[in-house]
């Protein structure tokens, strides 16, 4: 209730409304305050077309009235009234609620014959003719008609609300049956219209007999209902003897019967007053419900803001700040964040001091090394010089001897010693082994630049990516996945990590790390169900995983009999990226030949590790009886020799008369029957049983060619320039072959 108090106060006097009237702009004002802010205008400036009463001004009239506003927001405390020549200029004032109003002007005494009496003569002085009033809230001005302020309807609803509000804040009610000192009333009987305290209620109003049906209410509610007078019947402002019984839809105001018969509402649409009362009450209730929801949201928002204040500026500061690295999560608490920042800077300073100690240690070691080298050289030169000086003095004494034979006995040895000693001085002995300068320069430029660039980074991990299901698909044993960041996420992302399981419900493994948002994964198992997920990362950490996407590789079809093994239908082409350079491609990489007389290998672009697979190759050209080889191979098979020459390929090579199986250059199972132009060579790979079978023109060629086939195999063929073949894939397995049988029908021994 206290929040409503400002709605119940007059914008002029700042007190509770007393006899409030409704201005055409829908604002309210006390009747006495309205008289105080009236301004008289000259006759020449008050055309009849601009006169209006509270019930006669439409919404469109406000635009014209606003142009005549007596208030200017650009003034400096004084208002000149709209340019009227005779309008006085008076200082403006402020009401207690902050709205600027104008004090009453001193009108010229009008002639006695123009006085208009109010309904109660003697209560208020007459209003001067040609007066105008300016709304103190929206500052729209209106020129009064001959009825003056009586032309504005009274707001009886607001008056009743003010009365009930003031009564609810009055002193506590007393019991009406206490004889000496009345006690505070606790209930009121609506039927008896009496306030009771608890003892008097038990004594005089027992809850039994005929009084048991009486309704007892709290005293405040009883006081309001007691003082609430019966609903007053409002009368028309133009026809004071007529009650308001209808509602004019166009003018949006209640009207009386006489207004409909004689007044300007006769041609307007009208509705029953009670019906419109209920309709507007319903509309107001609906609007209040919406406003109540907004108020609830505002309260929750204020709680959120107050919590943010507590997080940003708590009352207590932690004693020991937490040292965090650059990859750890930012503290939401402002003081803790400052403590972390100080701790991080202190850690940098400590690291710099430790590095400083290390560098000083290196300088000291260099200093000691230089001193040691120089001192060692000084010691060495001193000893050498002493020896040289001794030899020189000895030779000088020998030269002084006069015995030729004795001199010649030792002269050769002395000469060799002198030359040897002299040569020893000439081998860098007189060059310093170490300079006195320190050849160390501290490279602090990058560190200083890094310090200047030291700044805050986005300390939030990215949001979980969203897989774009409409762009994700599988083809054969390849899967393409596409993802994106959430629409409202503006956190920087450095890259993404795509993970897949092993197709058998095993652990996830990383298959892609990078900045792209689309990735194709090749080499998956056929007829397998894979799960995929992706996450984003930046310098602050890794996001949550996206939702898991389940994918099925390849299309499958059941063989004729009901067995567990499933034959996989795969579509693929020859792969130009890993073929020998001499191989020539056409027909969307389905047809190949060679420009060399030597055998060259080309493989398919799809590998198989599970299931049963069958494909065929049509011989389009076959000249000079070459022997192409058909089969499967590992990814690292030799490309410049016949297929089957190394241990990476399993093949059947065939000419125009017979065929052989070959693996690791071992030839086995010679079988009659060759190929020619138009022949069809089929390859059947059953990885469920681990066998490889060849067919020529829909007939099995020889026995099972190879067994114990395990791992990843690629379709392959070797050919030279005399052969051209076309690949046909997506074929079902031959009818004669039933996967899972111990031995294929029709096999030859």
């Amino acid at each position: 209730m206290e929040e409503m108090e400002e709605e119940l106060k007059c914008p002029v006097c700042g007190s509770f409304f007393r006899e409030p009237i409704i201005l055409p702009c829908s604002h309210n004002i006390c009747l006495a305050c309205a008289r105080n802010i009236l301004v008289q205008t000259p006759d020449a400036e008050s055309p009849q077309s601009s006169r209006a009463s509270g019930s006669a001004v439409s919404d469109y009239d406000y635009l014209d009235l606003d142009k005549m506003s007596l208030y200017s927001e650009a003034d400096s405390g004084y208002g000149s009234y709209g340019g009227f020549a005779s309008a006085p200029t008076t200082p403006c004032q402020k009401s207690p609620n902050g709205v600027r109003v104008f004090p009453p002007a001193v009108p010229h005494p009008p002639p006695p014959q123009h006085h208009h009496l109010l309904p109660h003569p003697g209560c208020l002085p007459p209003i001067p003719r040609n007066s105008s009033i300016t709304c103190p809230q929206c500052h729209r001005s209106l020129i009064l008609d001959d009825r003056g302020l009586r032309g504005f309807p009274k707001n009886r609803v607001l008056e009743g609300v003010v009365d009930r509000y003031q009564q609810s804040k009055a002193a506590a009610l007393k019991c009406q049956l206490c004889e000496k000192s009345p006690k505070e009333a606790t209930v009121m009987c609506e039927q008896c219209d009496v306030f009771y305290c608890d003892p008097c209620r038990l004594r005089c109003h027992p809850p039994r007999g005929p009084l048991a049906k009486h309704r007892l209410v709290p005293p405040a509610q009883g006081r309001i209902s007691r003082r609430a007078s019966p609903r007053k019947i409002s009368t028309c402002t133009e026809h004071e003897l007529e009650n308001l019984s209808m509602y004019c839809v166009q003018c949006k105001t209640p009207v009386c019967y006489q207004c409909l018969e004689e007044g300007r509402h006769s041609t307007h649409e009208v509705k029953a007053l009670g019906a419109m009362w209920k309709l507007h009450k319903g509309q107001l209730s609906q609007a209040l419900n919406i406003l109540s929801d907004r108020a609830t949201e505002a309260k929750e928002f204020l709680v959120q803001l107050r919590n943010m204040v507590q997080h940003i500026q708590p009352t207590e500061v932690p004693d020991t700040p937490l040292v965090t690295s650059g990859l750890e999560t930012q503290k939401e608490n402002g003081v803790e964040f400052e403590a972390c920042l100080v701790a991080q800077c202190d850690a940098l300073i400590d690291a710099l001091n430790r590095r400083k100690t290390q560098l000083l240690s290196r300088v000291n070691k260099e200093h000691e090394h230089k001193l040691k080298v120089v001192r060692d050289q000084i010691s060495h030169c001193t000893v050498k010089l002493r020896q040289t000086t001794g030899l020189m003095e000895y030779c000088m004494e020998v030269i002084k001897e006069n015995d030729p034979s004795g001199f010649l006995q030792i002269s050769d040895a002395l000469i060799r010693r002198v030359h040897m000693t002299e040569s020893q001085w000439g081998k860098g002995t007189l060059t310093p082994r170490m300079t006195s300068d320190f050849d160390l320069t501290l490279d602090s430029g990058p560190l200083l630049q890094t310090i200047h660039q030291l700044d805050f980074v986005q300390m939030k991990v990215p949001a979980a990516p969203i897989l774009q299901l409409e762009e994700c698909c599988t083809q054969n044993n390849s899967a393409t996945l596409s993802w994106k960041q959430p629409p409202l996420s503006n956190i920087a992302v450095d890259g993404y990590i795509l993970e897949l399981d092993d197709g058998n419900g095993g652990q996830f493994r990383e298959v892609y790390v990078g900045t792209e948002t689309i990735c194709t994964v090749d080499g998956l198992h056929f007829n397998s169900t894979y799960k995929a997920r992706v996450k984003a990362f930046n310098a602050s950490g890794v996001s949550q995983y996206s939702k898991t996407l389940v994918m099925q590789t390849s299309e499958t079809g059941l063989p004729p009999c009901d067995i567990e093994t499933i034959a996989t239908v795969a579509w693929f082409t020859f792969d130009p990226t890993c073929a020998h350079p001499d191989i020539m491609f056409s027909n969307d990489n389905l047809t190949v030949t060679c420009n060399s007389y030597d055998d060259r290998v080309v493989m398919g672009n799809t590998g198989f590790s599970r299931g049963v697979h069958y494909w065929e190759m049509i011989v389009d050209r076959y000249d000079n009886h070459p022997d192409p080889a058909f089969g499967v191979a590992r990814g690292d098979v030799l490309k410049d020799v016949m297929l089957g020459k190394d241990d990476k390929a399993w093949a059947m090579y065939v000419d125009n008369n017979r065929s052989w199986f070959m693996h690791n250059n071992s030839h086995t199972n010679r079988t009659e029957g060759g190929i020619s132009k138009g022949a069809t060579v089929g390859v059947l790979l059953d990885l469920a049983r681990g066998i490889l079978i060849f067919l020529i023109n829909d007939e099995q060629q020889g026995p099972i060619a190879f067994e114990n086939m395990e791992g990843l195999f690629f379709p392959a063929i070797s050919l030279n320039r005399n052969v051209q073949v076309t690949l046909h894939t997506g074929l079902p397995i031959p009818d004669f072959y039933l996967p899972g049988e111990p031995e294929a029908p029709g096999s030859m021994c």
Side-chain angles (χ1 to χ4, degrees):
M1 293 287 286
E2 294 181 357
E3 290 82 356
M4 183 181 64
E5 187 168 312
E6 291 300 322
E7 294 285 338
L8 308 181
K9 291 184 178 180
C10 174
V12 177
C13 63
S15 302
F16 287 106
F17 282 106
R18 297 181 61 186
E19 298 182 278
I21 59 174
I22 306 175
L23 299 179
C25 57
S26 300
H27 293 132
N28 300 283
I29 189 174
C30 296
L31 180 61
C33 296
R35 293 188 59 86
N36 291 337
I37 62 175
L38 286 176
V39 176
Q40 186 179 7
T41 59
D43 293 341
E45 299 295 336
S46 55
Q48 294 297 326
S49 61
S50 63
R51 299 183 181 219
S53 66
S55 61
V57 179
S58 67
D59 293 340
Y60 299 99
D61 295 330
Y62 293 155
L63 299 176
D64 296 329
L65 294 175
D66 194 49
K67 297 177 182 178
M68 302 169 57
S69 177
L70 306 182
Y71 172 80
S72 172
E73 293 182 358
D75 64 27
S76 57
Y78 288 82
S80 60
Y81 293 95
F84 297 122
S86 61
T89 300
T90 55
C92 62
Q93 299 173 344
K94 274 192 177 182
S95 67
N97 60 359
V99 179
R100 289 205 291 179
V101 299
F102 297 99
V106 181
H108 297 287
Q113 63 271 20
H114 293 294
H115 284 187
H116 299 276
L117 299 179
L118 292 174
H120 304 284
C123 295
L124 291 172
I127 297 175
R129 184 183 178 186
N130 301 332
S131 297
S132 65
I133 186 173
T134 299
C135 176
Q137 290 184 278
C138 65
H139 313 301
R140 290 172 177 168
S141 57
L142 178 71
I143 297 175
L144 277 63
D145 58 13
D146 294 338
R147 294 173 300 165
L149 295 177
R150 290 180 300 140
F152 299 116
K154 293 184 178 180
N155 194 339
R156 292 188 176 88
V157 174
L158 176 59
E159 191 174 7
V161 172
V162 171
D163 184 46
R164 291 196 299 270
Y165 180 78
Q166 289 179 321
Q167 291 175 10
S168 66
K169 298 190 63 81
L173 293 173
K174 301 297 183 180
C175 177
Q176 295 177 292
L177 299 182
C178 292
E179 297 180 355
K180 295 183 179 179
S181 56
K183 297 180 181 179
E184 183 176 345
T186 57
V187 294
M188 175 202 171
C189 178
E190 289 186 336
Q191 284 71 28
C192 300
D193 196 17
V194 176
F195 289 94
Y196 298 95
C197 64
D198 287 336
C200 293
R201 177 179 61 83
L202 295 175
R203 178 170 50 87
C204 303
H205 200 289
R208 59 183 179 273
L211 300 179
K213 297 183 179 181
H214 287 198
R215 184 168 180 259
L216 303 179
V217 296
Q221 180 180 348
R223 175 171 53 190
I224 294 174
S225 61
R226 187 187 205 186
R227 296 200 177 187
S229 58
R231 190 174 68 186
K232 298 179 180 178
I233 301 177
S234 303
T235 57
C236 181
T237 56
E238 295 185 6
H239 312 94
E240 297 180 358
L241 299 180
E242 297 290 339
N243 296 331
L244 296 174
S245 58
M246 303 297 289
Y247 181 83
C248 179
V249 178
Q250 182 175 344
C251 299
K252 298 181 179 180
T253 183
V255 294
C256 67
Y257 177 78
Q258 193 170 351
C259 289
L260 299 179
E261 293 292 332
E262 304 173 358
R264 59 189 181 89
H265 302 283
S266 58
T267 59
H268 294 176
E269 179 186 1
V270 294
K271 292 186 178 181
L273 191 65
M276 293 303 297
W277 176 44
K278 294 181 180 179
L279 175 63
H280 282 211
K281 271 195 173 183
Q283 293 176 352
L284 180 59
S285 298
Q286 293 178 359
L288 282 177
N289 290 334
I290 298 175
L291 184 60
S292 176
D293 295 338
R294 295 295 178 269
T296 303
E297 294 176 1
K299 291 179 181 178
E300 295 175 353
F301 180 65
L302 285 174
V303 172
Q304 179 182 357
L305 292 179
R306 292 188 180 99
N307 292 335
M308 290 178 62
V309 171
Q310 294 297 325
H311 282 295
I312 295 173
Q313 191 175 5
T315 55
E316 296 182 1
V317 180
D319 297 332
T320 57
L322 178 63
V323 179
T324 58
S325 64
L327 295 179
E328 291 182 349
T329 307
Q330 175 188 8
K331 297 297 181 182
E332 295 181 358
N333 189 295
V335 173
E336 289 185 1
F337 180 73
E338 292 179 5
C340 291
L341 176 62
V342 172
Q344 287 178 313
C345 291
D346 291 342
L348 292 176
I349 295 173
D350 292 341
L352 185 60
N353 288 330
R354 289 193 298 270
R355 189 59 180 167
K356 172 185 173 183
T357 303
Q358 295 174 358
L359 294 176
L360 288 176
S361 176
R362 286 183 56 186
V363 171
N364 292 333
K365 290 181 180 179
E366 184 70 14
H367 176 263
E368 294 175 357
H369 175 67
K370 284 181 176 292
L371 287 178
K372 183 178 182 304
V373 170
V374 173
R375 286 171 178 169
D376 289 346
Q377 190 172 16
I378 291 174
S379 176
H380 178 73
C381 288
T382 300
V383 173
K384 196 74 173 176
L385 182 59
R386 186 182 300 114
Q387 294 174 352
T388 301
T389 302
L391 179 60
M392 290 173 58
E393 292 178 353
Y394 173 67
C395 290
M396 292 296 294
E397 293 298 327
V398 170
I399 291 175
K400 293 179 182 179
E401 291 294 331
N402 295 325
D403 184 3
S405 60
F407 177 81
L408 291 174
Q409 287 178 343
I410 64 174
S411 61
D412 289 337
L414 288 176
I415 292 172
R416 286 195 300 271
R417 285 186 62 191
V418 169
H419 284 300
M420 185 181 298
T421 303
E422 188 273 335
S423 64
Q424 291 177 352
W425 284 107
K427 296 181 179 179
T429 308
L430 301 179
T431 301
R433 298 177 184 174
M434 187 67 66
T435 62
S436 59
D437 298 330
F438 284 85
D439 298 330
L440 298 176
T441 302
L442 183 62
D443 186 13
S444 61
L447 179 59
L448 290 175
Q449 183 178 2
T450 303
I451 292 175
H452 289 309
Q453 293 176 350
L454 187 63
D455 201 351
F456 297 103
V457 296
Q458 182 67 47
M459 300 189 70
K460 289 185 178 179
V461 297
I466 299 176
L467 286 168
Q468 302 188 84
L469 302 182
E470 65 278 5
E471 299 184 13
C472 298
C473 62
T474 59
Q475 183 178 8
N476 293 331
N477 62 339
S478 299
T480 299
L481 297 105
S482 177
W483 59 88
K484 64 179 181 179
Q485 281 297 105
L488 300 180
S489 175
N490 56 0
I491 302 175
V493 176
D494 294 339
Y496 301 92
I497 301 174
L498 175 63
E499 296 182 358
L500 266 71
D501 67 354
D502 60 358
N504 197 27
Q507 294 183 350
F508 282 90
R509 65 188 189 278
E510 294 182 2
V511 297
Y512 171 76
V513 178
T515 59
E516 299 295 332
T517 58
I518 187 171
C519 177
T520 299
V521 184
D522 298 319
L524 303 176
H525 296 305
F526 277 90
N527 195 34
S528 300
T529 301
Y530 285 88
K531 295 180 181 179
R533 62 188 185 184
V534 64
K535 58 184 177 180
F537 65 89
N538 60 12
S540 300
V542 182
S543 73
Q544 298 291 328
Y545 284 105
S546 66
K547 293 183 178 180
T548 301
L549 177 65
V550 179
M551 304 174 297
Q552 177 73 33
T553 56
S554 80
E555 296 183 7
T556 60
L558 287 174
C561 59
D562 188 11
I563 54 178
E564 294 183 356
T565 306
I566 296 178
T568 304
V569 181
W571 288 263
F572 59 91
T573 64
F574 289 115
D575 190 357
T577 61
C578 63
H580 193 278
D582 293 340
I583 297 294
M584 302 170 62
F585 296 84
S586 60
N587 189 23
D588 294 330
N589 298 331
L590 292 174
T591 301
V592 293
T593 185
C594 183
N595 60 10
S596 173
Y597 285 104
D598 297 323
D599 291 311
R600 301 294 186 240
V601 174
V602 58
M603 297 192 302
N605 61 359
T606 299
F608 305 116
S609 59
R610 294 182 183 177
V612 182
H613 310 274
Y614 178 72
W615 63 94
E616 294 179 345
M617 282 162 280
I618 306 296
V619 180
D620 300 328
R621 181 165 50 83
Y622 187 77
D623 302 329
N624 302 323
H625 309 298
D627 47 0
F630 307 86
V632 296
R634 304 290 191 189
D636 54 349
V637 66
L638 296 177
K639 306 296 196 311
D640 55 355
V641 295
M642 179 184 286
L643 192 69
K645 287 286 186 179
D646 61 359
D647 62 348
K648 307 294 184 183
W650 295 257
M652 176 190 73
Y653 70 94
V654 57
D655 58 17
N656 61 323
N657 291 321
R658 60 192 68 83
S659 65
W660 293 263
F661 301 148
M662 184 167 61
H663 169 66
N664 199 16
N665 205 23
S666 175
H667 308 255
T668 60
N669 296 98
R670 172 179 169 175
T671 305
E672 296 298 324
I675 61 173
S676 60
K677 180 180 178 181
T680 300
V681 179
V683 181
L684 177 60
L685 177 63
D686 186 349
L687 291 172
R689 296 174 56 191
I691 62 175
L692 181 64
I693 299 174
F694 294 98
L695 295 87
I696 295 180
N697 295 328
D698 298 328
E699 296 291 336
Q700 182 173 334
Q701 184 73 1
I704 294 176
F706 302 99
E707 296 179 332
N708 301 320
M709 305 286 290
E710 295 181 355
L712 180 64
F713 301 94
F714 291 87
I717 180 177
S718 66
L719 72 171
N720 60 18
R721 64 181 304 168
N722 293 317
V723 181
Q724 176 177 304
V725 300
T726 297
L727 176 66
H728 291 270
T729 63
L731 303 176
I733 62 175
D735 294 337
F736 76 87
Y737 183 75
L738 297 179
E741 290 187 352
E743 188 176 65
S747 61
M748 299 177 61
C749 298

